[in-house]
Amino acid sequence: SAVISQKPSRDICQRGTSLTIQCQVDSQVTMMFWYRQQPGQSLTLIATANQGSEATYESGFVIDKFPISRPNLTFSTLTVSNMSPEDSSIYLCSAQTFRDSDYEQYFGPGTRLTVT
Amino acid sequence: AQKVTQAQTEISVVEKEDVTLDCVYETRDTTYYLFWYKQPPSGELVFLIRRNSFDEQNEISGRYSWNFQKSTSSFNFTITASQVVDSAVYFCALTLNRDDKIIFGKGTRLHILP
């Protein structure tokens, strides 16, 4: 299994500011993903963080609002830019690991963001 | 398009009862993967199981069991002799490829009452 850590675990931010969330995996992984979970809702994929290239964003999410970095195979960051109260959510990092020609997908503990 | 439906929004059972969480999926692809995740009140997502579309064998892990039926596009999850610690939101999910996004159902909130 993979151990995924995220920083910060939670934050309260003022509208108009930006927050960068860090995701660290304890082993090299090919695929990393960023999800958003709004209060009481399911998980929605924001983007796939590709190593060595730009992230691939899902419909409704844009790079200007959610810039993503993936400098190596164990680390990624997600920035929530120009925040508004609607951005209050849990943001989760996810990574795929392969074992015995099969794979599993693990999630970090999440970053609980409140925008005031 | 792919879709995962968890019709049960919330379930409450008394401790030691058995409970089944339903999951119905939609896809036209013949190759896909199904997942179950648990999200306790602390918020982290805990991986429970992954099943690929070519393996219809049911699986049992302790008090947990999964029933995968392609004929009905269902992947149901049963907890036997439930415990208070099983209280959580449970998500069923689907992906078509290893490197692809996971599509989540809306989740079922399970309350185990002492």
Side-chain angles (χ1 to χ4, degrees), chain B residues 12-42:
Chain B
S12 295
V13 300
V14 176
E15 196 173 19
K16 297 184 183 177
E17 288 185 354
D18 300 345
V19 59
T20 295
L21 309 182
D22 298 333
C23 173
V24 174
Y25 62 93
E26 295 177 29
T27 178
R28 292 185 178 177
D29 286 62
T30 56
T31 301
Y32 50 88
Y33 297 83
L34 296 164
F35 301 81
W36 275 96
Y37 288 90
K38 173 182 179 181
Q39 188 174 44
S42 54

Side-chain angles (χ1 to χ4, degrees), chain A:
Chain A
S1 65
V3 177
I4 303 175
S5 59
Q6 285 184 233
K7 289 183 185 179
S9 58
R10 59 177 63 229
D11 207 342
I12 300 173
C13 302
Q14 291 192 339
R15 77 169 65 214
T17 62
S18 298
L19 175 72
T20 295
I21 302 168
Q22 299 180 5
C23 176
Q24 180 74 54
V25 188
D26 68 345
S27 57
Q28 293 186 343
V29 294
T30 307
M31 306 299 294
M32 293 182 73
F33 306 86
W34 286 97
Y35 287 81
R36 181 175 74 181
Q37 186 178 23
Q38 294 177 303
Q41 303 296 313
S42 186
L43 283 81
T44 301
L45 181 67
I46 298 172
T48 302
N50 305 307
Q51 197 268 329
S53 65
E54 279 197 2
T56 305
Y57 289 83
E58 296 298 305
S59 176
F61 297 97
V62 295
I63 188 171
D64 290 346
K65 175 68 175 177
F66 296 102
I68 287 171
S69 78
R70 178 87 194 272
N72 57 50
L73 293 175
T74 64
F75 187 78
S76 178
T77 67
L78 168 75
T79 299
V80 186
S81 303
N82 188 24
M83 288 183 283
S84 66
E86 292 72 36
D87 295 320
S88 298
S89 295
I90 299 174
Y91 291 86
L92 296 106
C93 172
S94 175
Q96 285 188 355
T97 64
F98 290 88
R99 182 182 65 177
D100 298 333
S101 73
D102 216 336
Y103 88 106
E104 296 173 351
Q105 186 143 350
Y106 292 91
F107 286 79
T111 295
R112 196 178 294 268
L113 172 61
T114 302
V115 184
T116 60

Side-chain angles (χ1 to χ4, degrees), chain B residues 16-113:
Chain B
K16 297 184 183 177
E17 288 185 354
D18 300 345
V19 59
T20 295
L21 309 182
D22 298 333
C23 173
V24 174
Y25 62 93
E26 295 177 29
T27 178
R28 292 185 178 177
D29 286 62
T30 56
T31 301
Y32 50 88
Y33 297 83
L34 296 164
F35 301 81
W36 275 96
Y37 288 90
K38 173 182 179 181
Q39 188 174 44
S42 54
E44 78 272 22
L45 267 179
V46 178
F47 169 85
L48 296 179
I49 189 171
R50 182 205 65 254
R51 173 67 72 223
N52 73 54
S53 53
F54 299 109
D55 182 1
E56 280 194 80
Q57 284 191 356
N58 293 329
E59 181 151 340
I60 298 175
S61 176
R63 296 184 296 106
Y64 295 170
S65 61
W66 290 270
N67 185 334
F68 176 29
Q69 292 197 342
K70 291 176 73 171
S71 61
T72 56
S73 296
S74 65
F75 187 43
N76 296 337
F77 172 34
T78 297
I79 301 175
T80 303
S82 60
Q83 300 176 2
V84 173
V85 293
D86 295 326
S87 297
V89 179
Y90 290 85
F91 291 98
C92 180
L94 165 73
T95 186
L96 297 184
N97 300 300
R98 290 183 175 188
D99 295 341
D100 206 351
K101 63 182 178 183
I102 295 180
I103 298 165
F104 285 84
K106 292 186 180 298
T108 297
R109 185 175 297 275
L110 177 63
H111 301 278
I112 308 298
L113 307 173

